[in-house]
């Protein structure tokens, strides 16, 4: 699977593609906050920016605002594996403008993902911390 193939699928059909990193990932600032409300809200903020309900800036210091005036306010989210989990997290907030999600192999339930009939499937109770370290690397 290649993200380029996924982007091409949408781009040739007239959709714009926005790639957004969460807190602590892909060179962004802060700590990886895997499966927390802060991580969810950072992605929700991108949807709010795209719909015109949140201000955004070109960088952290220049104070130059950037608008998504090219966006019609109808947003879809997609992703693969852990990136496929983020659309589930944002969708449950009911954020305006998020019309659909297309998650690939995302985690829809952390409980079901880490337990089987109440028994932990993993050796570490701190699995989200392990996943956070992996995602931030």
């Amino acid at each position: 699977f290649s993200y380029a193939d996924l982007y091409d699928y949408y781009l040739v059909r007239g959709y714009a593609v926005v790639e957004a990193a969460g807190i602590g990932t892909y060179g962004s600032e802060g700590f990886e906050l895997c499966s927390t409300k802060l991580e969810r809200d950072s992605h929700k903020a991108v949807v709010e920016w795209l719909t015109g309900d949140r201000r955004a800036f070109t960088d952290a210091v220049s104070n130059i605002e950037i608008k998504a005036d090219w966006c019609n306010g109808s947003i879809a989210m997609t992703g693969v594996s852990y990136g496929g989990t983020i659309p589930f997290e944002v969708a449950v907030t009911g954020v305006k403008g998020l019309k659909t999600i297309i998650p690939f192999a995302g985690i829809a339930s952390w409980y079901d993902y880490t337990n089987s009939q109440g028994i932990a499937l993993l050796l570490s109770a701190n699995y989200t911390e392990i996943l956070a370290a992996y995602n931030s690397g």
Side-chain angles (χ1 to χ4, degrees):
F1 179 81
S2 163
Y3 280 109
D5 293 337
L6 181 62
Y7 297 157
D8 285 346
Y9 177 85
Y10 293 113
L11 292 170
V12 300
R13 288 164 174 79
Y15 295 94
V17 173
V18 174
E19 187 173 281
I23 298 171
T25 60
Y26 300 116
S28 65
E29 296 177 358
F31 296 100
E32 170 62 56
L33 299 169
C34 183
S35 76
T36 66
K37 291 179 182 179
L38 292 170
E39 180 186 49
R40 176 203 64 205
D41 291 347
S42 71
H43 292 281
K44 178 184 173 191
V46 174
V47 175
E48 291 171 336
W49 170 68
L50 289 167
T51 61
D53 290 339
R54 181 172 292 270
R55 295 174 68 197
F57 300 89
T58 57
D59 59 52
V61 294
S62 66
N63 205 31
I64 299 170
E65 187 173 353
I66 186 168
K67 295 183 181 286
D69 53 6
W70 45 266
C71 182
N72 67 7
S74 292
I75 315 299
M77 290 181 74
T78 190
V80 177
S81 189
Y82 186 69
T85 302
I86 304 300
F88 284 114
E89 293 178 352
V90 175
V92 300
T93 69
V95 64
K96 181 184 101 181
L98 183 59
K99 303 295 185 191
T100 192
I101 62 171
I102 312 161
F104 292 91
I107 302 165
S109 166
W110 281 103
Y111 182 83
D112 291 336
Y113 184 71
T114 57
N115 295 275
S116 175
Q117 299 178 4
I119 306 297
L121 295 171
L122 304 164
L123 298 175
S124 172
N126 298 323
Y127 179 69
T128 56
E129 292 176 16
I130 295 167
L131 189 57
Y134 175 78
N135 286 327
S136 63

